[in-house]
Amino acid sequence: AIVGATGVVGRTFLKVLEERDFPFENLYAFASAKSAGQKVTCKNKEIIVEELTEDVFNRDIDIALFSAGNSVSRKFAPIAASKGIIVVDNSSAWRMEEDVPLVVPEVNPQDIKWHKGIIANPNCSTIQAVVALKPLHDHYKIKRIVYSTYQAVSGSGMRGIKDLEEGLKGNDQHLAYPHPIVNNCLPHIDKFMENGYTKEEMKMIFETKKILNAPDIRITATTVRVPVFNCHSESINVEFEK
């Protein structure tokens, strides 16, 4: 099952399942009531999108890929897991829960073994960072990390893409951002926290420590939204013990 099937990530899930020729007998697509009735395709099969309700998981589903936002994941992932479905959740809702593994397959695949029905997928910028950092940490032990990320508007979903599209046409539209994104860089991804960091920056700090199983690493992060449609880039300054 794909939860959030009509969103940017949900459609990418379908594309990747097709590219990898992922084996399935049945594929179900769930989304909000306003998206119900739309059609999505995977492996040349048309799937009619159903409204996500508490009853939709009462069927033979092995795996549910969630990408419909924190509140949806918080409500529906436990319901799916209670039916014996393995949930792989793309939101930040479950990442820092102690009994939920936060997994990057190339980095800590062993953590998948202790899941209790929900497996969390890390932040996009954290994922590409830890793939490089894990072998370095194994060899030299990381003391400190300084992150700077430059993240595309696709990270904000359709609203971010629309802001950039409309801005390029000369229209001043703010669906996703408080300021124009065209010809601009906004060091403001997600909400600002009381400590002056944004939530996105804190996600990178906490998630890196959890994935590397290294709570003592000192980490700071600055995350910037940049006016490109796809491709997140980042610079990482690392200090080692050895």
Side-chain angles (χ1 to χ4, degrees), residues 50-63:
E50 301 175 53
E51 181 184 355
L52 179 65
T53 66
E54 293 183 20
D55 301 323
V56 298
F57 300 109
N58 294 330
R59 56 184 100 180
D60 190 16
I61 298 169
D62 294 313
I63 301 169

Side-chain angles (χ1 to χ4, degrees), residues 4 22 36 52-53 59 62 80 105 107 109 112 132 138 141 149 151 168 171 177 182 192:
F22 190 85
L52 179 65
T53 66
R59 56 184 100 180
D62 294 313
V107 176
I112 208 168
D138 288 347
K141 199 167 183 199
T149 76
Q151 298 177 221
L168 289 168
N171 301 323
Y177 310 118
V182 169
F192 275 102

